[in-house]
Amino acid sequence: QVQLVESGGGLVQAGGSLRLSCAASRGGLSNYAMTWFRQAPGKEREFIAAISRNSDNSHYADSVKGRFTISRDSAKNTVYLEMNSLKPEDTAIYYCAAKFMINAWRVVTGVEYDYRGQGTQLTVSS
């Protein structure tokens, strides 16, 4: 079983940057495609970004394309979400999630997972 712990959230001004981290506190991530998704109050969960097991492929929601970058460090069992040019509408709880994936090159393109973390709050002030 994999346990995921997100960190790095907080309060940032519009236009600012922040990096979220997602570490596996138990279990490794080498067999998992990873994603980030978010949920704002009163809204549905929204897929944000995904990365394949081998890091060769990534996929982004249109709402964050060009502003957010997902990456992973296999040695540290950690996945990152680098966020730039933040907007107030990016305010949400951000979750990382792991989906077991046989094919190392495949990405998850929606909110689909076997494990997810508890989330970290991002608030972007205008």
Side-chain angles (χ1 to χ4, degrees), residues 2-5 22-29 34 76-79 96:
V2 174
Q3 288 189 342
L4 302 172
V5 180
C22 170
S25 63
R26 189 170 71 182
L29 298 180
M34 301 299 296
K76 295 182 178 180
N77 269 326
T78 301
V79 180
C96 71

Side-chain angles (χ1 to χ4, degrees), residues 25-101:
S25 63
R26 189 170 71 182
L29 298 180
S30 61
N31 291 324
Y32 296 87
M34 301 299 296
T35 62
W36 286 93
F37 65 92
R38 66 188 181 189
Q39 188 164 24
K43 293 189 176 181
E44 297 285 322
R45 294 181 303 179
E46 177 188 13
F47 166 83
I48 293 300
I51 190 166
S52 60
R53 283 176 49 200
N54 62 8
S55 298
D56 281 356
N57 293 304
S58 59
H59 180 70
Y60 297 91
D62 288 342
S63 58
V64 305
K65 199 173 294 182
R67 299 188 298 123
F68 290 12
T69 302
I70 188 171
S71 62
R72 65 191 299 166
D73 185 330
S74 299
K76 295 182 178 180
N77 269 326
T78 301
V79 180
Y80 304 97
L81 186 68
E82 187 75 37
M83 305 180 294
N84 299 309
S85 303
L86 284 164
K87 305 174 181 179
E89 50 264 44
D90 293 320
T91 295
I93 299 175
Y94 283 70
Y95 300 89
C96 71
K99 175 69 176 175
F100 180 79
M101 194 67 73

